[in-house]
Amino acid sequence: MRQTRDCSWQGILLRKVVYRNSSLLLDIITPQAGKITILAKGVRNPNNHFLSILEVGNELDILIQKSTTDLYYFKQAELIHAYFHGIAYEPSLPYYAAVELYLQLSFPEEEALLFYQLLKEYFTYMKKVSINGIAIFWRFFLRLFHLYGIPIDFSKCCHCHSTLSGYKAYLPSMNGFLCDNCLTHKWTDVIFFVNGENDALKKMNHIGNCLNQLILTDQTIRSINSLLLNHMSEHFHKPFHLKSLQSIRHE
Ligand SMILES: [Zn+2]
């Protein structure tokens, strides 16, 4: 006998893809099961009143039916919060970057709640940020590393473990920064940083309190984004991309 069950859960919509004209496939993160895919049959039909709330970034109360496979079937939904509502294009990019990241990650089911809360808190905090939102995205990224148990060490040299005074160079193969002494060794895969990045990296552990003092150039933003993506890729042995951040511009 085919076993199905109804689940009444919360979820944040990460992606929607048109499926067979009138339906949608929805990727949603839930506190109960992590990331799931829901088939919403017929929701694109005219007059379907659920369509308007099925937007990326919306937090929903959803009633779904679990099939015997990994697929869920949509029954109904109610809007809890539209996090992306009313945000202009440029400030919305760090929001989409977090969504992109979540689409590429997988979450252990027993810790799904923590990842769900992190995303929710990030969206909520971003609403209050009027300058340098990208730095809050970096903080979100660092908190993700903590949840996965792979934090970047900003205090010690990854080679000799002495206390770092600055962040001139990063060694991807050891996932850490090099002190001035170790920097003189012959490394083949070092990523060098210039002054702007060094300043932002020095503030990284309390960056939420320094948003007004940060001077971020395109170069600084690109370098720090690629450092964080690199760290993620090293640990999960696959490339990570953030298309939404490629068009971020800073004056
Ligand atoms: Zn060292």
Side-chain angles (χ1 to χ4, degrees), residues 157 159-162 179 182:
C157 168
H159 186 64
C160 73
H161 306 292
S162 65
C179 70
C182 294

Side-chain angles (χ1 to χ4, degrees), residues 157-162 164 177-183 185:
C157 168
C158 67
H159 186 64
C160 73
H161 306 292
S162 65
L164 288 166
F177 297 95
L178 287 167
C179 70
D180 288 357
N181 280 339
C182 294
L183 193 51
H185 300 208

Side-chain angles (χ1 to χ4, degrees), residues 35-241:
K35 230 166 32 175
I36 59 169
T37 301
I38 302 171
L39 174 58
K41 277 187 187 165
V43 285
R44 296 183 74 238
N45 286 330
N47 305 327
N48 185 296
H49 59 285
F50 293 119
L51 184 62
S52 64
I53 59 168
L54 299 178
E55 293 293 338
V56 169
N58 280 4
E59 186 177 26
L60 306 162
D61 265 324
I62 43 171
L63 183 65
I64 48 182
Q65 189 177 57
K66 190 180 188 321
S67 71
T68 44
T69 64
D70 281 341
L71 193 65
Y72 291 78
Y73 295 98
F74 178 87
K75 295 181 98 171
Q76 60 189 61
E78 223 173 283
L79 182 65
I80 301 173
H81 197 86
Y83 290 103
F84 295 12
H85 181 74
I87 301 168
Y89 172 71
E90 185 88 24
S92 75
L93 297 177
Y95 287 73
Y96 283 103
V99 166
E100 266 189 273
L101 208 46
Y102 266 42
L103 283 169
Q104 293 167 76
L105 289 165
S106 55
F107 309 109
E109 198 173 303
E110 60 279 10
E111 284 166 31
L113 175 64
L114 296 175
F115 288 94
Y116 186 83
Q117 278 171 336
L118 178 65
L119 188 64
K120 201 174 144 147
E121 281 163 18
Y122 170 66
F123 287 158
T124 306
Y125 194 89
M126 281 297 281
K127 287 264 185 195
K128 297 185 255 174
V129 171
S130 56
I131 183 173
N132 290 329
I134 186 67
I136 297 303
F137 174 69
W138 295 336
R139 186 177 72 171
F140 163 78
F141 219 135
L142 295 180
R143 287 179 179 173
L144 260 181
F145 292 149
H146 272 278
L147 284 187
Y148 281 116
I150 52 167
I152 295 183
D153 190 349
F154 283 92
S155 62
K156 299 257 189 312
C157 168
C158 67
H159 186 64
C160 73
H161 306 292
S162 65
T163 303
L164 288 166
S165 58
Y167 305 94
K168 287 182 191 156
Y170 181 81
L171 195 58
S173 56
M174 290 181 73
N175 296 309
F177 297 95
L178 287 167
C179 70
D180 288 357
N181 280 339
C182 294
L183 193 51
T184 57
H185 300 208
K186 278 190 180 149
W187 304 102
T188 53
D189 63 337
V190 171
I191 301 172
F192 287 99
F193 294 117
V194 293
N195 285 343
E197 294 136 36
N198 207 342
D199 180 58
L201 290 167
K202 272 183 192 160
K203 296 185 169 92
M204 200 55 97
N205 278 335
H206 50 278
I207 205 148
N209 303 327
C210 323
L211 292 184
N212 293 323
Q213 297 117 51
L214 279 177
I215 298 164
L216 300 175
T217 62
D218 284 357
Q219 166 66 30
T220 302
I221 291 173
R222 269 199 304 272
S223 296
I224 294 181
N225 287 342
S226 69
L227 165 73
L228 298 173
L229 287 170
N230 190 301
H231 186 70
M232 195 67 111
S233 298
E234 284 285 326
H235 279 279
F236 290 98
H237 307 293
K238 66 168 194 169
F240 284 86
H241 303 286

